[in-house]
Every structure is written in structure tokens, then in C-alpha cells.
């Protein structure tokens, strides 16, 4: 009845009452994990991340191998900008081969926030092809490497990741050229795209990326040639 009452109060736009109902419920039925999970989720909806964290930690004590709850704890650590704590939880998930790619991505994000850029790059690179965060992770790794002046390493990594996959090579090459332009390496971006267009003649994505480089160089003739 506790959950039902809380749901009715939420549907009536009474989140404060729903919270009180669930708070009383978890005190009375401390072992009811579904009730505690509902309470934690409602606390998140109300932006009370610290209290939600406490509820999730109680759930972890009750279910030590509940990896979804551990992942939720890590996400709350990130929300509260507690990157050191997040790293601990995420490393545990990686060790258990749970939520592997998301954990690697968020490890990269956490280390980037802590300005430990080499560590961040390594974790971003660990995100596997075909997963939701793959392209975002490769972009972050490439951006950080270029910002650190590691242009050759960034390029070698992209070639290695896309070997045997022409479409991926084109996607990652346009991404790399964009990051080179953003960081002031315009001539290198043009050389990269020239080389790629020798391999993949008239590819639309590569041509468009080179148009952006020509525009940055204020080379109207080159830009108009590629747009034809």
C-alpha cells in the first residue's frame, strides 16, 4: 500500500507528500528493496542527490552484487562532481565486466575533470566499437591528444581503430580534421583531408570537411571547387 499511495500522490502533483510516504515506508519496511529503490529514484527527481546516494548505498549493503545500483551510485557521484568516488565505483564495475563501455567512458570523463589527461585518453580509448559512446569517446580522446600536442599519436590511433573499415575511417578522419582546425593546426587538417581524398575519391563527407578548412583559410577558389 505504501508504494501505491506514493504513486497516487505523485500523480496528484504532490511530490513532497510522496517523499514523506516513502520515507516512512523505508523506516517501517527496511528490507523492502523495491520500496527503497522507489524512494531513491524520487529523491533524484527532487534533486536530492546526497540522500539518494545514501539509499543506494543501503541497497548495495543488502545486495552487494547489484551492479545496476553501483552504476547509479557512480552516476550520482558524477552529478555531485565527486570524481574520485566515481572513479572507485567505475573501476569496480570494470573489474567485474559490468557496464563496461559506459564505465570506461565515464572514467575518461572523470579523469578529464581531474585534469589527468593521459589517464582520461586511455579510458576513452577503451570504449569498444559498436557501443553507444564509441564515437563520442574517440572524439574526446582525439581532442585531448591534439590539445596535448600528441598529433601523431592521435592520427595513429584513428588509423588503428578504423583498419579494415573504410566508413569508420572516413568518419574518424573528418572528426580528426575538425579537432585539428579547432586547435589551430589548419595546414595539418588540409594535408590529412588531401591524403584521405586521394584514397576515397570524391567522398562527400571528406569534401565537406575540406570546404570548412578552405573557409577557415579564406580560400574561396578551393572551397567552390570542392562544392561542385
Amino acid at each position: 500500500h505504501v508504494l501505491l499511495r506514493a504513486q497516487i500522490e505523485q500523480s496528484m502533483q504532490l511530490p513532497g507528500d510522496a517523499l514523506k510516504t516513502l520515507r516512512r515506508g523505508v523506516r517501517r519496511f527496511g528490507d523492502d528493496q523495491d520500496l527503497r529503490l522507489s524512494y531513491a529514484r524520487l529523491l533524484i527527481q527532487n534533486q536530492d542527490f546526497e540522500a539518494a546516494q545514501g539509499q543506494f548505498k543501503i541497497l548495495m549493503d543488502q545486495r552487494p552484487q547489484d551492479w545496476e545500483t553501483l552504476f547509479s551510485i557512480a552516476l550520482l557521484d558524477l552529478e555531485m562532481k565527486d570524481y574520485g568516488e566515481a572513479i572507485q565505483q567505475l573501476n569496480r564495475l570494470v573489474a567485474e565486466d559490468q557496464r563496461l563501455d559506459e564505465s570506461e567512458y565515464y572514467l575518461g570523463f572523470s579523469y578529464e575533470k581531474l585534469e589527468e589527461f593521459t589517464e582520461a585518453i586511455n579510458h576513452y580509448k577503451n570504449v569498444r566499437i559498436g557501443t553507444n559512446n564509441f564515437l563520442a569517446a574517440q572524439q574526446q580522446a582525439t581532442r585531448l591528444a591534439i590539445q596535448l600536442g600528441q598529433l601523431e599519436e592521435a592520427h595513429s590511433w584513428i588509423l588503428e581503430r578504423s583498419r579494415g573499415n573504410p566508413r569508420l575511417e572516413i568518419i574518424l578522419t573528418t572528426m580528426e580534421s575538425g579537432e585539428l582546425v579547432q586547435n589551430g593546426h589548419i595546414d595539418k587538417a588540409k594535408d590529412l583531408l588531401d591524403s584521405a581524398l586521394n584514397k576515397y575519391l570524391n567522398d562527400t563527407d571528406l569534401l565537406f570537411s575540406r570546404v570548412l578548412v578552405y573557409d577557415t583559410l579564406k580560400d574561396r577558389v578551393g572551397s567552390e571547387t570542392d562544392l561542385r
Side-chain angles (χ1 to χ4, degrees):
H1 294 308
V2 175
L3 261 180
L4 180 60
R5 180 175 173 181
Q7 287 164 359
I8 291 168
E9 287 166 341
Q10 279 182 271
S11 69
M12 293 172 66
Q13 305 297 310
L14 298 169
D17 289 352
L19 274 172
K20 286 176 190 170
T21 297
L22 290 172
R23 189 181 303 120
R24 284 195 298 266
V26 295
R27 283 179 187 152
R28 187 174 172 195
F29 306 106
D31 293 331
D32 189 327
Q33 295 170 357
D34 290 337
L35 190 62
R36 193 174 296 280
L37 185 57
S38 296
Y39 181 40
R41 286 173 175 163
L42 189 57
L43 286 165
I44 291 170
Q45 286 177 32
N46 284 271
Q47 307 282 302
D48 192 344
F49 301 124
E50 202 166 331
Q53 185 82 292
Q55 295 304 313
F56 278 124
K57 285 181 176 175
I58 292 169
L59 281 169
M60 277 305 293
D61 289 340
Q62 294 172 340
R63 304 183 295 201
Q65 293 191 314
D66 182 349
W67 308 121
E68 289 304 305
T69 295
L70 185 60
F71 187 62
S72 296
I73 290 171
L75 293 181
L76 283 169
D77 285 328
L78 292 174
E79 193 68 47
M80 294 188 290
K81 298 181 170 51
D82 194 346
Y83 302 114
E85 278 294 314
I87 285 167
Q88 284 187 43
Q89 320 299 353
L90 294 165
N91 275 329
R92 189 175 162 201
L93 286 163
V94 169
E96 297 289 346
D97 198 17
Q98 299 291 327
R99 288 279 195 155
L100 188 58
D101 295 286
E102 296 106 315
S103 295
E104 290 286 8
Y105 181 82
Y106 287 120
L107 278 165
F109 176 82
S110 299
Y111 279 112
E112 184 179 349
K113 288 294 185 183
L114 293 172
E115 299 187 0
E116 295 183 38
F117 299 121
T118 301
E119 208 49 55
I121 290 169
N122 289 337
H123 284 289
Y124 282 136
K125 285 180 174 181
N126 285 341
V127 177
R128 294 172 296 186
I129 291 175
T131 58
N132 287 339
N133 291 318
F134 171 71
L135 287 176
Q138 304 322 299
Q139 181 154 16
Q140 300 293 67
T142 302
R143 176 180 57 80
L144 288 174
I146 289 171
Q147 286 175 352
L148 291 173
Q150 300 170 0
L151 276 59
E152 288 303 316
E153 292 92 332
H155 183 61
S156 298
W157 173 250
I158 279 174
L159 290 179
E160 183 184 324
R161 278 327 300 255
S162 59
R163 189 173 291 122
N165 189 335
R167 188 70 234 147
L168 181 59
E169 185 180 348
I170 289 166
I171 290 168
L172 294 181
T173 298
T174 60
M175 185 185 75
E176 182 186 0
S177 72
E179 294 298 338
L180 286 166
V181 170
Q182 287 289 319
N183 287 278
H185 303 288
I186 300 166
D187 290 338
K188 287 194 177 294
K190 184 178 177 301
D191 291 345
L192 172 70
L193 292 166
D194 288 345
S195 174
L197 279 159
N198 285 335
K199 185 175 180 181
Y200 301 110
L201 297 173
N202 298 321
D203 179 84
T204 311
D205 291 335
L206 292 171
L207 284 169
F208 183 71
S209 289
R210 192 164 66 179
V211 166
L212 296 178
V213 171
Y214 281 134
D215 286 348
T216 306
L217 292 168
K218 298 189 168 34
D219 181 344
R220 201 175 73 187
V221 175
S223 184
E224 287 174 353
T225 303
D226 276 358
L227 283 171
R228 283 187 192 135

